[in-house]
Amino acid sequence: MKTTTVAGRTWHYSHCLGRLTAEHNESKWGRTGGYCYPMDVAAASDGILFVISRGFGYARDEKEHDTYMRVGKTTIDEDHIGDFARGGFTWPVAIAIAGDGMVYCSDEHENTISLFDPDAVVTYPEVGPGPNDREGWGVKGSEEGQLNGPSGLAFDANDDLYVTDSLNNRVQKFSKGGDFILAFGRYGTGDGEFNRPWGITVDGEGAVYVVDWGNHRVKKFSADGTYLMSFGGPGEGANSLSNPAGVAVDSDGDVYVTDWGNRRVQIYEPDGSVLAALYGDADKLSRAGEYNLARDPDSVKRLARRDSDVMSYLARFGRPVGIDIDEQDRIIITDGRGRLQIYRKDNAYAEPPI
Protein backbone atom coordinates (compact mmCIF):
# COMPACT_ATOMS: atom_id res chain seq x y z
CA MET A 1 0.00 0.00 0.00
CA LYS A 2 1.47 3.36 -1.07
CA THR A 3 0.90 6.13 1.43
CA THR A 4 1.61 9.82 1.90
CA THR A 5 1.60 10.94 5.55
CA VAL A 6 1.75 14.58 6.72
CA ALA A 7 0.48 16.42 9.82
CA GLY A 8 -1.60 13.56 11.19
CA ARG A 9 -3.19 12.80 7.83
CA THR A 10 -2.48 9.91 5.50
CA TRP A 11 -3.52 9.37 1.90
CA HIS A 12 -3.49 5.76 0.71
CA TYR A 13 -3.39 5.04 -3.00
CA SER A 14 -6.32 2.69 -3.68
CA HIS A 15 -6.66 1.79 -7.37
CA CYS A 16 -7.25 3.13 -10.85
CA LEU A 17 -10.10 2.51 -13.24
CA GLY A 18 -10.70 2.85 -16.95
CA ARG A 19 -8.46 3.19 -19.97
CA LEU A 20 -8.40 5.26 -23.14
CA THR A 21 -11.34 3.79 -25.04
CA ALA A 22 -14.82 4.53 -26.34
CA GLU A 23 -15.96 0.96 -25.85
CA HIS A 24 -18.09 -0.77 -23.26
CA ASN A 25 -16.78 -4.31 -22.81
CA GLU A 26 -17.96 -7.36 -20.87
CA SER A 27 -15.47 -10.07 -19.96
CA LYS A 28 -14.11 -12.03 -17.03
CA TRP A 29 -13.00 -8.67 -15.60
CA GLY A 30 -16.64 -7.52 -15.53
CA ARG A 31 -18.17 -4.58 -17.34
CA THR A 32 -15.32 -2.27 -18.26
CA GLY A 33 -15.03 0.96 -20.17
CA GLY A 34 -12.98 4.09 -20.08
CA TYR A 35 -12.44 7.68 -21.03
CA CYS A 36 -10.66 9.80 -23.61
CA TYR A 37 -9.13 12.96 -22.17
CA PRO A 38 -11.37 12.87 -19.09
CA MET A 39 -11.97 16.47 -18.07
CA ASP A 40 -13.98 16.13 -14.88
CA VAL A 41 -15.61 13.69 -12.48
CA ALA A 42 -18.62 13.97 -10.18
CA ALA A 43 -19.25 11.52 -7.35
CA ALA A 44 -22.90 10.64 -6.71
CA SER A 45 -24.22 8.52 -3.86
CA ASP A 46 -23.68 4.76 -3.54
CA GLY A 47 -20.26 4.83 -5.21
CA ILE A 48 -21.53 6.03 -8.61
CA LEU A 49 -19.19 8.24 -10.65
CA PHE A 50 -19.91 10.34 -13.73
CA VAL A 51 -16.93 11.23 -15.92
CA ILE A 52 -17.02 13.68 -18.82
CA SER A 53 -14.58 12.97 -21.68
CA ARG A 54 -13.53 15.54 -24.26
CA GLY A 55 -12.61 12.91 -26.83
CA PHE A 56 -10.44 13.57 -29.86
CA GLY A 57 -12.56 16.40 -31.20
CA TYR A 58 -13.16 14.68 -34.53
CA ALA A 59 -14.79 11.50 -35.80
CA ARG A 60 -12.64 8.35 -35.93
CA ASP A 61 -12.95 4.85 -37.31
CA GLU A 62 -15.41 5.94 -40.02
CA LYS A 63 -17.95 6.96 -37.37
CA GLU A 64 -20.20 9.96 -37.94
CA HIS A 65 -19.46 11.38 -34.49
CA ASP A 66 -16.54 11.47 -32.10
CA THR A 67 -17.67 8.43 -30.12
CA TYR A 68 -15.00 9.09 -27.48
CA MET A 69 -16.71 12.35 -26.43
CA ARG A 70 -19.35 11.47 -23.86
CA VAL A 71 -20.28 11.04 -20.20
CA GLY A 72 -19.40 7.71 -18.62
CA LYS A 73 -21.30 6.23 -15.70
CA THR A 74 -19.35 3.77 -13.56
CA THR A 75 -18.86 2.68 -9.98
CA ILE A 76 -15.81 3.43 -7.90
CA ASP A 77 -15.10 -0.32 -8.02
CA GLU A 78 -14.97 -0.16 -11.85
CA ASP A 79 -18.29 -1.59 -12.87
CA HIS A 80 -18.85 0.43 -16.03
CA ILE A 81 -22.62 0.87 -16.31
CA GLY A 82 -22.71 2.73 -19.61
CA ASP A 83 -22.42 6.11 -21.32
CA PHE A 84 -24.66 8.94 -22.44
CA ALA A 85 -24.49 12.15 -24.48
CA ARG A 86 -22.06 10.47 -26.87
CA GLY A 87 -21.36 12.97 -29.65
CA GLY A 88 -23.46 15.57 -27.84
CA PHE A 89 -20.79 18.21 -27.16
CA THR A 90 -18.19 20.34 -28.88
CA TRP A 91 -15.75 21.18 -26.05
CA PRO A 92 -17.13 19.60 -22.88
CA VAL A 93 -15.46 20.70 -19.67
CA ALA A 94 -17.14 20.08 -16.33
CA ILE A 95 -19.82 18.01 -14.67
CA ALA A 96 -21.88 18.37 -11.49
CA ILE A 97 -24.87 16.61 -9.93
CA ALA A 98 -27.95 18.43 -8.66
CA GLY A 99 -29.90 17.39 -5.60
CA ASP A 100 -32.46 15.58 -7.76
CA GLY A 101 -29.69 13.52 -9.41
CA MET A 102 -29.75 15.27 -12.76
CA VAL A 103 -26.31 15.59 -14.35
CA TYR A 104 -25.22 19.07 -15.46
CA CYS A 105 -22.41 19.57 -18.01
CA SER A 106 -20.70 22.65 -19.44
CA ASP A 107 -19.57 23.14 -23.03
CA GLU A 108 -17.10 26.00 -23.38
CA HIS A 109 -17.49 26.26 -27.16
CA GLU A 110 -21.29 26.17 -27.31
CA ASN A 111 -21.52 28.36 -24.16
CA THR A 112 -24.18 26.09 -22.72
CA ILE A 113 -25.07 24.24 -19.55
CA SER A 114 -26.88 20.98 -20.36
CA LEU A 115 -28.93 18.62 -18.19
CA PHE A 116 -29.08 14.85 -18.54
CA ASP A 117 -31.02 12.00 -17.02
CA PRO A 118 -28.41 9.96 -15.10
CA ASP A 119 -30.10 6.70 -16.09
CA ALA A 120 -30.43 7.35 -19.84
CA VAL A 121 -27.33 5.40 -20.86
CA VAL A 122 -26.67 4.17 -24.40
CA THR A 123 -24.47 1.35 -25.63
CA TYR A 124 -21.42 1.80 -27.84
CA PRO A 125 -21.40 3.19 -30.51
CA GLU A 126 -24.88 4.73 -30.18
CA VAL A 127 -25.07 8.50 -29.74
CA GLY A 128 -27.41 11.00 -28.15
CA PRO A 129 -29.00 13.04 -27.01
CA GLY A 130 -27.57 15.66 -29.33
CA PRO A 131 -27.43 19.41 -28.74
CA ASN A 132 -30.97 19.95 -30.00
CA ASP A 133 -32.51 17.14 -27.95
CA ARG A 134 -31.66 18.01 -24.37
CA GLU A 135 -32.54 20.42 -21.60
CA GLY A 136 -30.34 23.33 -20.66
CA TRP A 137 -29.56 26.96 -21.22
CA GLY A 138 -26.85 29.34 -22.33
CA VAL A 139 -26.15 32.09 -24.83
CA LYS A 140 -22.83 33.68 -25.65
CA GLY A 141 -22.20 37.16 -24.27
CA SER A 142 -20.90 39.22 -21.38
CA GLU A 143 -24.15 40.50 -19.89
CA GLU A 144 -25.60 39.07 -16.70
CA GLY A 145 -26.67 35.47 -17.28
CA GLN A 146 -24.73 35.17 -20.56
CA LEU A 147 -21.67 32.94 -20.89
CA ASN A 148 -18.33 32.94 -22.67
CA GLY A 149 -16.30 29.78 -22.22
CA PRO A 150 -18.10 28.26 -19.22
CA SER A 151 -15.95 25.69 -17.46
CA GLY A 152 -16.27 24.62 -13.79
CA LEU A 153 -19.60 23.77 -12.17
CA ALA A 154 -20.51 23.40 -8.50
CA PHE A 155 -23.81 23.17 -6.62
CA ASP A 156 -24.22 24.64 -3.15
CA ALA A 157 -26.44 23.38 -0.32
CA ASN A 158 -29.42 25.29 -1.75
CA ASP A 159 -29.02 23.55 -5.13
CA ASP A 160 -27.91 26.77 -6.79
CA LEU A 161 -25.23 26.37 -9.44
CA TYR A 162 -21.94 28.28 -9.58
CA VAL A 163 -20.36 28.49 -13.05
CA THR A 164 -16.86 29.71 -13.82
CA ASP A 165 -17.48 31.96 -16.82
CA SER A 166 -13.90 31.66 -17.95
CA LEU A 167 -13.52 34.05 -20.88
CA ASN A 168 -15.57 36.68 -19.03
CA ASN A 169 -13.19 36.24 -16.06
CA ARG A 170 -15.98 35.91 -13.54
CA VAL A 171 -18.13 33.46 -11.64
CA GLN A 172 -21.89 33.44 -12.08
CA LYS A 173 -24.48 31.88 -9.82
CA PHE A 174 -27.74 30.48 -11.21
CA SER A 175 -30.72 28.60 -9.95
CA LYS A 176 -30.60 25.02 -11.18
CA GLY A 177 -33.22 26.06 -13.74
CA GLY A 178 -30.86 28.66 -15.20
CA ASP A 179 -32.13 31.88 -13.59
CA PHE A 180 -29.33 34.38 -12.95
CA ILE A 181 -28.67 35.18 -9.27
CA LEU A 182 -25.33 37.01 -9.03
CA ALA A 183 -21.86 37.41 -10.51
CA PHE A 184 -18.43 38.33 -9.17
CA GLY A 185 -14.92 38.79 -10.50
CA ARG A 186 -13.22 40.62 -13.38
CA TYR A 187 -9.99 40.37 -15.35
CA GLY A 188 -6.80 41.12 -13.43
CA THR A 189 -4.20 39.84 -11.01
CA GLY A 190 -5.45 41.38 -7.78
CA ASP A 191 -7.73 40.17 -5.00
CA GLY A 192 -10.99 38.92 -6.44
CA GLU A 193 -9.71 39.17 -10.02
CA PHE A 194 -9.18 36.34 -12.49
CA ASN A 195 -7.29 35.29 -15.57
CA ARG A 196 -9.24 32.39 -17.10
CA PRO A 197 -10.87 30.89 -13.97
CA TRP A 198 -11.45 27.17 -14.40
CA GLY A 199 -12.44 24.72 -11.65
CA ILE A 200 -14.75 25.53 -8.76
CA THR A 201 -16.15 23.92 -5.62
CA VAL A 202 -18.23 24.82 -2.57
CA ASP A 203 -17.15 23.62 0.88
CA GLY A 204 -19.30 22.50 3.81
CA GLU A 205 -19.54 26.06 5.14
CA GLY A 206 -20.70 27.48 1.83
CA ALA A 207 -17.37 29.09 0.88
CA VAL A 208 -16.52 29.05 -2.83
CA TYR A 209 -13.05 28.04 -4.08
CA VAL A 210 -12.15 29.08 -7.64
CA VAL A 211 -9.10 27.89 -9.55
CA ASP A 212 -7.49 30.86 -11.29
CA TRP A 213 -5.77 29.08 -14.19
CA GLY A 214 -3.90 32.04 -15.68
CA ASN A 215 -2.81 33.53 -12.34
CA HIS A 216 -1.71 30.11 -11.01
CA ARG A 217 -3.68 30.49 -7.79
CA VAL A 218 -6.77 29.33 -5.94
CA LYS A 219 -9.07 32.04 -4.61
CA LYS A 220 -11.66 31.71 -1.86
CA PHE A 221 -14.90 33.69 -1.65
CA SER A 222 -17.97 33.83 0.54
CA ALA A 223 -21.25 32.63 -0.93
CA ASP A 224 -22.11 36.17 -2.07
CA GLY A 225 -18.78 36.64 -3.87
CA THR A 226 -16.84 38.54 -1.21
CA TYR A 227 -13.11 37.86 -1.59
CA LEU A 228 -11.58 36.05 1.40
CA MET A 229 -8.09 34.76 0.53
CA SER A 230 -5.87 33.11 -2.07
CA PHE A 231 -2.99 30.66 -2.13
CA GLY A 232 -0.51 29.24 -4.59
CA GLY A 233 1.49 31.22 -7.12
CA PRO A 234 3.42 30.48 -10.32
CA GLY A 235 6.26 27.97 -10.26
CA GLU A 236 7.27 24.40 -9.52
CA GLY A 237 7.98 24.66 -5.79
CA ALA A 238 6.13 23.05 -2.90
CA ASN A 239 3.72 25.97 -2.53
CA SER A 240 3.44 26.79 -6.22
CA LEU A 241 0.98 25.98 -8.98
CA SER A 242 1.25 25.85 -12.75
CA ASN A 243 -2.06 26.30 -14.57
CA PRO A 244 -4.20 24.63 -11.89
CA ALA A 245 -7.39 23.13 -13.24
CA GLY A 246 -9.65 21.51 -10.62
CA VAL A 247 -10.41 21.90 -6.92
CA ALA A 248 -12.24 19.89 -4.26
CA VAL A 249 -12.62 20.08 -0.48
CA ASP A 250 -12.92 17.09 1.88
CA SER A 251 -14.98 16.76 5.06
CA ASP A 252 -12.13 18.17 7.17
CA GLY A 253 -11.83 21.26 5.00
CA ASP A 254 -8.55 20.25 3.33
CA VAL A 255 -8.31 21.58 -0.22
CA TYR A 256 -7.14 19.51 -3.21
CA VAL A 257 -5.96 21.19 -6.41
CA THR A 258 -5.08 19.47 -9.68
CA ASP A 259 -1.81 21.18 -10.57
CA TRP A 260 -2.03 20.51 -14.29
CA GLY A 261 1.27 22.03 -15.37
CA ASN A 262 3.25 20.33 -12.59
CA ARG A 263 1.46 16.98 -13.09
CA ARG A 264 0.44 16.58 -9.47
CA VAL A 265 -2.31 17.19 -6.95
CA GLN A 266 -1.49 19.76 -4.28
CA ILE A 267 -3.16 19.44 -0.87
CA TYR A 268 -3.65 22.51 1.34
CA GLU A 269 -5.01 23.19 4.78
CA PRO A 270 -8.08 25.47 4.92
CA ASP A 271 -5.80 28.45 5.68
CA GLY A 272 -3.83 27.86 2.47
CA SER A 273 -0.80 26.19 4.08
CA VAL A 274 0.54 23.45 1.82
CA LEU A 275 0.29 19.94 3.25
CA ALA A 276 1.44 17.43 0.65
CA ALA A 277 1.45 16.53 -3.02
CA LEU A 278 0.29 13.44 -4.89
CA TYR A 279 2.02 12.52 -8.14
CA GLY A 280 0.18 9.31 -9.07
CA ASP A 281 0.89 5.92 -7.55
CA ALA A 282 -0.74 3.34 -9.84
CA ASP A 283 0.92 -0.02 -9.26
CA LYS A 284 -1.09 -2.15 -11.67
CA LEU A 285 -3.47 -1.84 -14.57
CA SER A 286 -7.18 -1.24 -14.11
CA ARG A 287 -9.65 -3.98 -14.99
CA ALA A 288 -10.21 -2.24 -18.31
CA GLY A 289 -6.45 -2.19 -18.83
CA GLU A 290 -6.15 -5.91 -18.06
CA TYR A 291 -8.93 -6.63 -20.54
CA ASN A 292 -7.13 -4.64 -23.23
CA LEU A 293 -3.80 -6.31 -22.46
CA ALA A 294 -5.38 -9.76 -22.89
CA ARG A 295 -6.91 -8.67 -26.18
CA ASP A 296 -3.86 -6.75 -27.42
CA PRO A 297 -0.61 -8.00 -25.78
CA ASP A 298 1.46 -5.68 -27.96
CA SER A 299 -0.02 -2.64 -26.18
CA VAL A 300 2.51 -3.01 -23.35
CA LYS A 301 5.35 -3.39 -25.85
CA ARG A 302 4.38 -0.05 -27.35
CA LEU A 303 4.54 1.55 -23.92
CA ALA A 304 7.85 -0.16 -23.19
CA ARG A 305 9.40 1.81 -26.02
CA ARG A 306 8.88 4.89 -23.86
CA ASP A 307 10.08 3.38 -20.59
CA SER A 308 11.53 -0.05 -19.84
CA ASP A 309 9.70 -0.03 -16.49
CA VAL A 310 6.15 0.21 -17.82
CA MET A 311 4.38 0.57 -14.47
CA SER A 312 6.82 3.26 -13.39
CA TYR A 313 5.80 5.17 -16.48
CA LEU A 314 2.10 4.46 -15.96
CA ALA A 315 2.11 5.22 -12.23
CA ARG A 316 2.38 8.97 -12.60
CA PHE A 317 -0.36 11.38 -13.54
CA GLY A 318 -0.43 12.45 -17.14
CA ARG A 319 -1.86 15.96 -16.68
CA PRO A 320 -4.57 15.69 -13.98
CA VAL A 321 -7.55 17.98 -14.58
CA GLY A 322 -10.78 17.09 -12.76
CA ILE A 323 -11.18 16.07 -9.14
CA ASP A 324 -13.99 15.22 -6.74
CA ILE A 325 -14.34 13.72 -3.27
CA ASP A 326 -17.09 11.27 -2.35
CA GLU A 327 -19.03 10.69 0.86
CA GLN A 328 -16.24 8.50 2.24
CA ASP A 329 -13.49 11.06 1.56
CA ARG A 330 -12.16 9.06 -1.37
CA ILE A 331 -10.34 11.38 -3.75
CA ILE A 332 -11.07 10.74 -7.43
CA ILE A 333 -8.71 12.33 -9.96
CA THR A 334 -9.09 12.39 -13.74
CA ASP A 335 -5.83 11.49 -15.43
CA GLY A 336 -4.79 12.39 -18.96
CA ARG A 337 -3.87 8.74 -19.50
CA GLY A 338 -7.57 7.92 -19.95
CA ARG A 339 -8.28 6.74 -16.43
CA LEU A 340 -9.10 7.77 -12.88
CA GLN A 341 -6.78 7.36 -9.90
CA ILE A 342 -8.38 6.88 -6.47
CA TYR A 343 -6.94 7.73 -3.04
CA ARG A 344 -8.38 7.24 0.46
CA LYS A 345 -7.83 9.69 3.28
CA ASP A 346 -7.13 8.23 6.73
CA ASN A 347 -6.89 10.44 9.84
CA ALA A 348 -6.17 7.51 12.18
CA TYR A 349 -3.33 5.82 10.34
CA ALA A 350 -0.30 4.67 12.36
CA GLU A 351 2.97 3.65 10.76
CA PRO A 352 3.64 -0.08 11.25
CA PRO A 353 6.50 -0.93 13.62
CA ILE A 354 9.89 -1.52 12.03
Side-chain angles (χ1 to χ4, degrees):
M1 178 172 58
K2 298 184 179 181
T3 63
T4 300
T5 300
V6 176
R9 305 160 173 88
T10 297
W11 294 271
H12 305 289
Y13 171 75
S14 176
H15 63 288
C16 64
L17 54 135
R19 65 179 179 90
L20 199 158
T21 184
E23 297 177 348
H24 180 184
N25 308 115
E26 296 196 36
S27 68
K28 69 178 184 179
W29 289 276
R31 296 186 294 184
T32 63
Y35 322 103
C36 183
Y37 303 108
M39 297 296 291
D40 200 14
V41 57
S45 59
D46 301 323
I48 298 294
L49 305 176
F50 294 93
V51 183
I52 192 163
S53 290
R54 176 157 288 190
F56 288 99
Y58 53 87
R60 289 168 53 94
D61 305 323
E62 299 182 352
K63 300 290 192 304
E64 183 179 353
H65 302 278
D66 180 359
T67 57
Y68 291 77
M69 184 188 300
R70 66 210 187 280
V71 176
K73 181 179 181 180
T74 189
T75 71
I76 201 164
D77 297 319
E78 202 178 4
D79 177 20
H80 193 81
I81 297 166
D83 306 285
F84 57 87
R86 194 186 300 274
F89 303 103
T90 303
W91 290 346
V93 182
I95 191 166
I97 302 170
D100 60 4
M102 291 291 287
V103 178
Y104 285 60
C105 302
S106 61
D107 188 317
E108 65 174 331
H109 181 82
E110 301 298 335
N111 299 297
T112 54
I113 310 298
S114 299
L115 291 67
F116 299 95
D117 179 347
D119 296 320
V121 297
V122 298
T123 57
Y124 175 81
E126 293 178 13
V127 299
N132 299 320
D133 304 314
R134 61 181 185 237
E135 298 180 65
W137 76 86
V139 61
K140 184 176 182 179
S142 58
E143 300 299 320
E144 290 184 348
Q146 296 178 338
L147 299 168
N148 191 4
S151 50
L153 304 174
F155 281 99
D156 65 12
N158 297 319
D159 231 13
D160 292 326
L161 181 66
Y162 289 89
V163 180
T164 48
D165 189 8
S166 185
L167 293 179
N168 283 324
N169 293 294
R170 65 184 178 185
V171 172
Q172 296 199 72
K173 183 179 180 180
F174 298 88
S175 72
K176 70 176 185 178
D179 297 320
F180 173 80
I181 298 174
L182 61 84
F184 57 90
R186 63 182 182 181
Y187 177 75
T189 60
D191 296 349
E193 296 178 333
F194 300 117
N195 181 3
R196 293 292 303 269
W198 197 257
I200 190 168
T201 196
V202 181
D203 71 12
E205 304 299 320
V208 182
Y209 290 81
V210 184
V211 171
D212 192 356
W213 166 276
N215 287 324
H216 312 286
R217 296 182 180 275
V218 176
K219 295 181 176 177
K220 182 178 180 181
F221 299 84
S222 67
D224 64 0
T226 301
Y227 172 81
L228 300 175
M229 63 173 288
S230 70
F231 51 88
E236 301 176 358
N239 196 32
S240 302
L241 297 167
S242 176
N243 297 125
V247 61
V249 179
D250 70 20
S251 61
D252 297 319
D254 291 337
V255 184
Y256 300 73
V257 182
T258 52
D259 189 5
W260 182 87
N262 288 321
R263 300 183 185 227
R264 64 187 178 187
V265 173
Q266 289 282 75
I267 308 174
Y268 296 86
E269 293 192 269
D271 66 359
S273 301
V274 67
L275 275 170
L278 306 174
Y279 289 87
D281 291 292
D283 53 8
K284 61 182 180 180
L285 297 176
S286 65
R287 293 177 187 172
E290 292 288 352
Y291 166 80
N292 189 59
L293 179 60
R295 187 176 65 171
D296 180 13
D298 288 339
S299 60
V300 169
K301 293 180 182 179
R302 289 192 291 271
L303 288 172
R305 296 191 191 110
R306 305 183 187 183
D307 195 315
S308 59
D309 183 352
V310 174
M311 281 316 303
S312 176
Y313 167 78
L314 290 175
R316 301 302 190 183
F317 294 127
R319 302 290 189 188
V321 180
I323 188 168
D324 201 12
I325 299 173
D326 73 1
E327 302 163 320
Q328 299 182 35
D329 271 347
R330 292 178 291 197
I331 301 98
I332 305 112
I333 303 152
T334 69
D335 187 346
R337 302 194 194 284
R339 64 185 176 184
L340 311 180
Q341 290 205 46
I342 315 295
Y343 287 80
R344 295 185 294 107
K345 186 181 181 182
D346 184 354
N347 289 324
Y349 178 74
E351 290 282 357
I354 298 175

